[in-house]
Amino acid sequence: MSALAEVKKDWGKVQNFVNGEWVDSTTKNWLDVKNPATTGTIAKVPLSTKDEMNAAIEAAQEAWWAWRETPPVSRARLMFNLKHIMEREFENVARIISQEQGKTIDDARGETRRCVENIEVASSVTTLQMGYNLEDGAAANIDEEVIISPLGVFGAVCPFNFPGMVPFWFWPYAVATGNTFIVKPSEQVPLTTQYMFKMIEEAGFPPGVVNLVNGREDAVNALFEHKNVRGISFVGSTPVAKWIYKRAGETGKRVQAQGGAKNSLVVMPDAVMDKTVNNMLASFYGCAGQRCLAGSNLIGVGDVAEPLLKKFVEASKKLKVGYGLDESSNMGPVISEAAKKKVLGYIDLGVKEGAKLLLDGRNIKVPGYEKGYFVGPTVFDDVTPDMKIAKEEIFGPVVSFLRMKNLDEAIEFIHSSPFGNAASIYTQNGKWARDFRYRTQCGNIGINVGIVAAMAYFPFAGAKDSFFGSLHGQGQDAVSFYTDRKVVITRWF
Amino acid sequence: MVECEFPECTTFGSVIRFALELEKGAVAVYDEFAKDSKLAAGAETFKALAASHKKRGDLLEYTRREKLNEMIQEPIQDLDARKYIPDLKAPKGADLKAAGKFAAAMEVKSAMFYGDTSQFAKNLLSEAARIMDKMAKENLANKAKMESL
């Protein structure tokens, strides 16, 4: 089966979108954007300057008041426009995601759907942003009410693993509630965002309301240094999330900073084996393990360990690794040469730490894509809780198998991790499932579900070192993050 | 003759792609029969079936676009799709009975595909399984129509 056609082979120079216009960056610093399956250069992305980010912030500030005065119902209508355009462009968006990020087309279609869903939820702004009041709430003849108001300019700094979805966790809610916005995509995957902005432009948002600035540190620093930026949403690694959180504190900005993860999937002795294994494959290997919700540690509890490991390794061996645009591929490449090197380094480390390498993905060759940044499914047995491969985020298709005596031991192990993004249990026992849900300190809990990806109308974030902030992305939490509650007490003489 | 490219069925997307190729092939076969003056007595039936298979293709596209999310992206293993590939090379100069027999065989393969993949889909996405079950039933009804020509 031949691969699906790319929307474009060569995207040329990526532009910024500021104040309703597409502009070339004046920076001298440009990076190659590579297709991770072919390693061919598919675009050039600018590392925009501080001045360019400042110009976008000023345009957003300039646009803000008129946008704030645009009734919510009118703002919602633009979201509806965008939703229709996105449905039309659905397959193109998915193919661009797959081309630049490497994930399989099914993964990319799922991601694109989540983008649309976030627009659908944000379209409900007339309900989501509604305040409340209480007649005689302050005293007799004195009423009290709460108005939910936008704040101004917000920005998002986005990661490489979900070039479509992550910006849509944020900007639709900020903009629908009357704020203006700047998206800074990952410099490794700028094409999906650029394509999305063509749709945003077509939908008819006024100039300056939604802006796109490509870049890296300079652009991010400018967001923090500008007094008009009211808050920042971030998704990336834990060290950077911590830095973002600290900088936001120093500069007095709102922040939601999502970091790394080390997720454990716990299989109890009564788990439905075939369905469990199949579901876990998607968790460990989907997006080549580069999801913050990806499984990383597989814990077999009690007698289930041996049969589980055998079945899991057999099933892992059968996965087809290939170009994401080949619809029969189960797993694509990792994002870059550096990412591949890091993942291979962890596999080497696991061997040195004494874990038993049951399935080795280091030397995989994908016919037709021999240069691609592929790592095959990799499974370690005899992993112990003190090993680095059981504790650190690998962000690749590497599974550490641990044996535990009982559920208490598994939960204790999960709690020993500084991360708290997600954890899953596979069982048919309601008591075990309830205990796991109740006690496990993670932001997302799966019960017979390995990828606990919150739908757009639910909040998404982790806990502990996986998230710094209080209000999460998506849904009502996002609305709260981008708005303030203004109390009005009214008395008429 | 229409060019169809049938993939290995290892993902939900590739199952839908396989199904889309089946529908594309069926549309082409029925269109060809409908235009054949020797088969004029069955032309209206062939046209209706071509339209029906086109509509099924649209439904599959919709299913892929609307129903897929991260929670159901499990791999599909041990499904040997080769056995479902139908013969789409319509016989030249066939009479109505032979054409009907050919189309009936094609519908049977398609029914087998949808029937078997609905079992896989049940584990992934019950809505998709329902659609596949419905498709299989339609295939069998079409087969009966073709055999009665």
Side-chain angles (χ1 to χ4, degrees), chain A residues 128-132 146-150 177 479 483-486:
Chain A
L128 292 171
Q129 203 178 348
M130 205 175 271
Y132 47 95
V146 169
I147 295 168
I148 298 180
S149 309
T177 51
V479 168
T483 55
D484 224 342
R485 277 134 296 275
K486 188 187 282 183

Side-chain angles (χ1 to χ4, degrees), chain A residues 107 110 114 162 165 291 451 453, chain B residues 68-73:
Chain A
D107 253 337
R114 190 58 48 81
F162 285 90
M165 182 179 75
R291 283 191 186 118
I451 309 166
Chain B
L68 203 81
N69 69 46
E70 285 165 317
M71 273 171 282
I72 50 111
Q73 286 167 14

Side-chain angles (χ1 to χ4, degrees), chain B residues 92-144:
Chain B
K92 295 281 172 205
D95 61 14
L96 198 56
K97 196 154 186 67
K101 196 177 165 195
F102 176 85
M106 178 184 75
E107 295 284 359
V108 167
K109 285 263 183 176
S110 189
M112 275 169 56
F113 172 79
Y114 287 114
D116 291 353
T117 52
S118 89
Q119 296 308 312
F120 283 86
K122 263 183 195 120
N123 200 17
L124 297 171
L125 186 65
S126 55
E127 288 159 286
R130 264 197 297 278
I131 288 168
M132 285 166 173
D133 283 338
K134 181 175 162 265
M135 298 274 206
K137 277 183 197 156
E138 283 174 4
N139 284 128
L140 294 177
N142 295 345
K143 171 192 168 254

Side-chain angles (χ1 to χ4, degrees), chain A residues 68-81:
Chain A
R68 189 233 189 284
E69 287 185 338
T70 303
V73 69
S74 303
R75 300 197 295 254
R77 283 181 188 132
L78 290 173
M79 292 291 167
F80 284 122
N81 287 353

Side-chain angles (χ1 to χ4, degrees), chain B residues 25-26 28-43 45-46 49 87-108 142-149:
Chain B
V29 166
Y30 286 123
D31 272 345
E32 206 176 315
F33 285 165
K35 284 179 202 153
D36 190 334
S37 56
K38 276 190 184 166
L39 306 175
T45 309
F46 293 136
L49 286 175
D87 179 6
L88 295 171
K89 201 172 169 187
K92 295 281 172 205
D95 61 14
L96 198 56
K97 196 154 186 67
K101 196 177 165 195
F102 176 85
M106 178 184 75
E107 295 284 359
V108 167
N142 295 345
K143 171 192 168 254
K145 269 185 209 164
M146 288 296 99
E147 284 174 343
S148 69
L149 286 175

Side-chain angles (χ1 to χ4, degrees), chain A residues 157-217:
Chain A
V157 178
C158 303
F160 73 80
N161 56 345
F162 285 90
M165 182 179 75
V166 170
F168 280 73
W169 283 349
F170 306 124
W171 82 260
Y173 301 97
V175 168
T177 51
N179 301 282
T180 53
F181 210 85
I182 298 148
V183 176
K184 205 284 302 163
S186 161
E187 67 280 8
Q188 295 185 94
V189 288
L191 300 175
T192 307
T193 312
Q194 178 171 259
Y195 201 78
M196 293 288 199
F197 267 77
K198 299 273 182 196
M199 290 185 262
I200 290 167
E201 182 186 21
E202 187 185 339
F205 288 88
V209 170
V210 206
N211 304 275
L212 161 67
V213 179
N214 292 282
R216 226 164 41 185
E217 295 90 343

